[in-house]
Structures are given as structure tokens and as C-alpha cells.
Amino acid sequence: VMAAPLAGATAMVVGASGGIGGAIARTLAGAGAARLMLVGRDAVRLAQVALEVTRAGAVADAEAVELRAGVLPRLPDRLD
């Protein structure tokens, strides 16, 4: 049996509440990513993606924000 290509990895997905971002988050979780920081504008859709990612075995940390200058640089601190 081959190990998942992203086993144990941590990733951040910006736009995770949208169609493409949500698909990327689900794909990363399916490929074995252990932890995902999900960022998006729509809190309800973001929560759904976080639930799906969690069901796939990853830890999801979701943050609903309106991205603007100065916000994104602070978010990766939460990945520690």
C-alpha cells in the first residue's frame, strides 16, 4: 500500500468557501494532509468545507474573513 502523497502536511487554502477553493481543500485532505487552515468569506460554506475535510481525516481550522491588506500575514501564525 502506497502512502498518501501529502501525509502529515499542513496547508492553507485561501478562498476555501468557494467552489475551486473548497475542491482544493477536499483534494488536499484526500491526499493525506493532516491540517488545513481554511480561509474564506462565506462562513456557512466554509463550515461545510471544514466538516468535509474533517470527515476525510484532516484537522480543519476555518476562519471566515474579508481579505484585505494586513489580514493574511497574521493568519499563518494559527498553523503552529
Side-chain angles (χ1 to χ4, degrees):
V1 176
M2 187 174 226
L6 296 177
T10 297
M12 181 170 158
V13 180
V14 177
S17 62
I20 294 171
I24 290 170
R26 288 186 288 275
T27 299
L28 290 170
R35 187 161 187 203
L36 296 174
M37 174 65 187
L38 307 174
V39 181
R41 289 183 282 181
D42 186 322
V44 173
R45 287 171 49 188
L46 192 61
Q48 180 61 40
V49 172
L51 178 63
E52 293 169 13
V53 163
T54 301
R55 286 182 178 158
V59 173
D61 186 8
E63 186 74 32
V65 296
E66 182 68 37
L67 294 179
R68 59 188 180 284
V71 173
L72 191 56
R74 290 191 306 269
L75 293 174
D77 292 340
R78 296 189 56 193
L79 293 175
D80 293 335

